[in-house]
Amino acid sequence: MLVRLALGSSLSKTMLDLMWLECVSSSCKRKAFFARFEDNTMPLTRPATKTCRLSFTAAEVSKTFKRVNPRKAAGQTASPAAHSDQLAGVFTDIFNQSLSQSAVPTCFKRATIVPVPKKAKVTELNDYRPVALTPVIMKCFERRVKDHITSTLPDTLDPLQFAYRPNRSTDDAISTTLHTALTHLDKRNTYVRMLFIDYSSAFNTIVPSKLVIKLETLGLDPALCNWVLDFLTGRPQVVRVGNNISTPLILNTGAPQGCVLSHLLYSLFTHDCVATHASNSIIKFADDATVVGLITNNDETAYREEVRALGVWCQENNLTLNVNKTKEMIVDFRKQQREHPPIHIDGTVVERVVSFKFLGVHITDKLNWSTHTDSIVKKAQQRLFNLRRLKKFGLSPKVLTNFYRCTFESILSGCITAWYGNCSAHNRKALQRVVRSAQRINGGKLLALQDTHTTRCHRKAIKIIKDNNHPSHCLFTPLSSRRRGQYRCIKAGAERLKNSFYLKAIRLLNSHH
């Protein structure tokens, strides 16, 4: 009703914000209320265990304080960066006491929820994302705990979870997705179905008691698991819109977006969401997940069973699939194509699309990159005006070049290792035209995108080779000792596979030796 009012009448921004405040507050209350009844066998408090073995030194805490950016929101506390050495000793004792007692002070858990627009033009209440402003002291505490948890995780953790792990990035997730599809499509009578999953309020629906059980199975200290449980429960929060603040509310479910630990905890919560069939892969980057089904001879049995099993897993783990935002894309290059029956989730047909923006990269059902290059060229061209203005103000070529690298190169070369190799000549000319325009403005020579692509492919390949736990490490197979530095080439028939990242990287490594 509120959404219809906001869209159907010329309400002021203040009224829209007030309605958002009311909706978020009431929504949080409903979630907190129902979460208490989701599993009565799992209490919010757990039996006492031995004292947590984790502790910090004053030097470690001081180092963390010094890394705080004083320009960022400090929550309810001031930034400790300016007095890190003086404050480190006191807060080291507080942190260690908190860990030894597996309890987090309530004042450290207080949060102020602020609505942040998801897009430039807000048209409805769902266009806001609730972000929690928490005390900066607690963020420092979380960083120390996060570093410890990351260092103790087993190597057997799902290799297809690419978020918040060393030497993993969106490039790796996209390249793995594309390589999985392309190698399968290189065979006869094959096609690929990709299901791009969208969860409803994924972080807000985590059940802490279930999370703690999963953390213990991963080998984390039970006392530290109890600390995590206390960290996620009994959290006082208010919602703030402008000068309006809601009444306080205590939450016992979810991991607030804005906490340092939330994303890591979510990744660990979903670590057991893996494919059950060899012909399928579930590639994850935090709450962005893609089911890649490799279909041969039109047999979709394993793929459909995988989708059904994913739905069951979501129900068991209190996650809700947003069917309206979940999309499917079918990549089929066969000359004689058949009609592909749709996928159903909870009785609703999943919409089939010809293009989807996955981790910032537009992937199409033809696996060409015109849609993606057109998008980033448009973004980059819009920033040429700013570059011209800076030149007019008399800034030096060095400053203009730094501005280009921050605002242009980051757009033009984002995930470039995954997509540039299969760009058409027309796409590459359009991209390089933007670079030449920027070069004429600042007066200095800029690196061509082709050179950027080559450099990054080589650098990423070396990192993968050095990382034995990387899911793509097995693709770089060394040849005999007499040909040291050479790697076995991957067999490929289609040009789209030959021009993909991993084959390009192997050729670069071999040419350098």
Side-chain angles (χ1 to χ4, degrees), residues 423-435:
C423 274
S424 65
H426 175 75
N427 297 150
R428 296 189 182 192
K429 286 180 180 178
L431 293 166
Q432 193 58 35
R433 198 176 299 123
V434 177
V435 178

Side-chain angles (χ1 to χ4, degrees), residues 338 404 438:
R338 297 184 180 182
Y404 165 82

Side-chain angles (χ1 to χ4, degrees), residues 260-287:
V260 174
L261 275 172
S262 295
H263 294 83
L264 174 63
L265 294 178
Y266 178 84
S267 299
L268 299 179
F269 184 71
T270 59
H271 83 276
D272 56 345
C273 179
V274 295
T276 56
H277 295 83
S279 60
N280 302 316
S281 299
I282 300 180
I283 296 170
K284 298 173 291 185
F285 194 93
D287 59 338

Side-chain angles (χ1 to χ4, degrees), residues 89-128:
V90 176
F91 280 105
T92 299
D93 293 338
I94 294 174
F95 293 170
N96 289 336
Q97 281 291 322
S98 172
L99 291 168
S100 66
Q101 298 177 19
S102 296
V104 180
T106 303
C107 60
F108 280 9
K109 296 192 286 186
R110 296 186 187 277
T112 300
I113 306 299
V114 177
V116 177
K118 296 180 183 178
K119 53 180 74 173
K121 187 177 180 181
V122 175
T123 58
E124 59 181 25
L125 301 179
N126 287 333
D127 289 340
Y128 288 103

Side-chain angles (χ1 to χ4, degrees), residues 229-278:
L229 178 64
D230 191 81
F231 167 72
L232 293 177
T233 55
R235 300 188 62 90
Q237 73 171 33
V238 296
V239 182
R240 187 184 72 200
V241 178
N243 295 323
N244 305 296
I245 300 178
S246 70
T247 56
L249 176 69
I250 303 297
L251 289 187
N252 292 311
T253 186
Q257 294 188 58
C259 292
V260 174
L261 275 172
S262 295
H263 294 83
L264 174 63
L265 294 178
Y266 178 84
S267 299
L268 299 179
F269 184 71
T270 59
H271 83 276
D272 56 345
C273 179
V274 295
T276 56
H277 295 83

